[in-house]
Amino acid sequence: MLQPSPSRKRRGRLLRSGAAFVVLLAVAGYLTVQYVTGGAPGCEVVSAEDDRTTYEFTPEQAVNAATITAVGTARDLPERAVTIALATALQESTLRNIDYGDRDSLGLFQQRPSQGWGTPKEIMDPAYSAAKFYDELVEVPDYTRLPLTVAAQRVQRSGFPEAYAKHETDARLLAAALTGRSAATLTCEGRPGAARAQGPDAVRAALVRDFGQGVLQSAGAAVDDTSATPTASPSPSPSPSPSPSPSPSPSPSTGGTGGSDGRTVTLPVTGSGAEERLGQRGWQLAHWAVANATSLRIERVSYAGREWTAGSTDSKWRPTGAGSAGGAERAAGAVRITSAR
């Protein structure tokens, strides 16, 4: 029996070693992507203008983007302010609430306790850190007219000021959807398996955390049924005001908008404002709910004759038959947020 020559053995070992090295590189690359992005993309925002420009992001990033946007709009700041904030957080932390950074930098905006941004605990609260960013941004003269990189740099004083520019397109897409200006453009897969909080109480607590106490008072939020079991707040946040008396909800429609089972929070979108403004507010709340679907175990969101359902194959907003097309699609109505069982 012929024995392989020493040179052939060496070649075989080299080939096996090379193959193993390639596999290790592939695994390392995959883990690096997961580390940088915070997981596999599960959410997507699509441009309302061309339907081709998209941005994919993770549920963790979606929650943080929704919080940054809600804090800005609760202050009546323009969409440009939200775009600047989102682009800044994309650059500083990839929209992840990280507890490390250069020197003592922390959180979404990599703010430093030693520079007067707050305590580490405060900075690690996304709503607080977003509010501090806006506090500084509004002090920049004519910030809405400045290039995004200039406005962001006036707040951040980064060593790489031009880096913010590469995130402007994605930030604009996110801002358009999360402020509600672009209707039915944000979707998530909504995988609730690892969620820590669920139920209407958790949804209302998160709404107050991001938008402030007035979000429930002005919207007159109601739960479909008093049988809902209270759950813990998803994070240390202000306690919502006592809920109004539950209001009866319509029975399930063909589109599956949910029934009176104690799982649905209804947010009426009413007021004396223009129809378009009210519609934008409705879509902001609806997109906020979808962005928080995984963390709050939200199963279904409906507004203006459209409905999003967690776990569907394509996560699209689908017509429910409960609303008419055209301009009425943005008309005042109610956002319905249904928690998973």
Side-chain angles (χ1 to χ4, degrees):
M1 180 175 176
L2 293 175
Q3 297 295 322
S5 67
S7 62
R8 184 175 297 177
K9 287 182 178 179
R10 284 195 296 272
R11 284 197 299 272
R13 284 197 297 270
L14 286 172
L15 286 172
R16 288 192 295 273
S17 298
F21 183 67
V22 170
V23 170
L24 285 173
L25 282 177
V27 171
Y30 172 79
L31 292 175
T32 299
V33 169
Q34 300 302 298
Y35 176 77
V36 170
T37 63
C43 300
E44 182 181 53
V45 61
V46 180
S47 170
E49 280 74 31
D50 59 24
D51 200 32
R52 291 187 302 275
T53 305
T54 64
Y55 173 62
E56 293 184 352
F57 52 115
T58 68
E60 177 188 3
Q61 292 171 312
V63 171
N64 291 326
T67 294
I68 290 170
T69 305
V71 171
T73 57
R75 296 176 169 217
D76 291 324
L77 295 179
E79 186 179 322
R80 179 63 174 173
V82 173
T83 299
I84 295 168
L86 290 171
T88 302
L90 279 166
Q91 171 59 26
E92 298 291 352
S93 66
T94 65
L95 274 174
R96 293 185 302 133
N97 195 30
I98 53 180
D99 59 359
Y100 57 87
D102 178 46
R103 288 168 283 190
D104 59 338
S105 300
L106 296 169
L108 291 173
F109 296 92
Q110 289 292 279
Q111 294 157 337
R112 299 179 59 191
S114 64
Q115 299 300 308
W117 287 96
T119 66
K121 182 178 180 180
E122 287 173 332
I123 292 172
M124 289 301 295
D125 177 351
Y128 172 91
S129 63
K132 293 296 286 184
F133 178 87
Y134 288 124
D135 284 345
E136 295 297 319
L137 180 64
V138 297
E139 294 299 319
V140 176
D142 294 324
Y143 73 89
T144 59
R145 300 175 182 272
L146 294 174
L148 185 145
T149 53
V150 175
Q153 177 64 2
R154 294 279 177 86
V155 177
Q156 298 294 106
R157 298 177 176 84
S158 168
F160 306 95
E162 296 304 316
Y164 301 114
K166 64 177 178 273
H167 301 290
E168 185 164 4
T169 299
D170 296 334
R172 282 178 175 173
L173 282 177
L174 284 170
L178 289 168
T179 61
R181 181 171 61 83
S182 296
T185 55
L186 188 148
T187 59
C188 290
E189 293 176 2
R191 303 171 184 167
R196 296 183 296 275
Q198 61 178 313
D201 283 353
V203 172
R204 287 180 297 192
L207 282 163
V208 170
R209 174 197 70 202
D210 287 0
F211 292 94
Q213 194 73 40
V215 68
L216 299 184
Q217 296 169 345
S218 61
V223 180
D224 283 353
D225 196 305
T226 55
S227 63
T229 302
T231 57
S233 168
S235 64
S237 56
S239 300
S241 59
S243 300
S245 301
S247 59
S249 300
S251 58
S253 68
T254 306
T257 55
S260 300
D261 53 9
R263 297 187 295 128
T264 300
V265 173
T266 301
L267 298 169
V269 184
T270 58
S272 58
E275 181 179 288
E276 184 176 354
R277 182 175 175 83
L278 291 174
Q280 181 168 338
R281 176 63 167 175
W283 278 112
Q284 178 180 20
L285 293 168
H287 283 157
W288 176 93
V290 172
N292 281 272
T294 294
S295 62
L296 295 176
R297 287 183 58 84
I298 292 171
E299 176 181 276
R300 185 168 54 248
V301 181
S302 61
Y303 177 65
R306 302 277 195 94
E307 182 176 86
W308 166 89
T309 305
S312 62
T313 55
D314 56 7
S315 300
K316 301 293 185 184
W317 285 89
R318 301 192 177 281
T320 64
S324 57
E329 222 173 62
R330 301 184 64 87
V335 177
R336 293 168 55 82
I337 305 170
T338 302
S339 300
R341 293 184 184 277

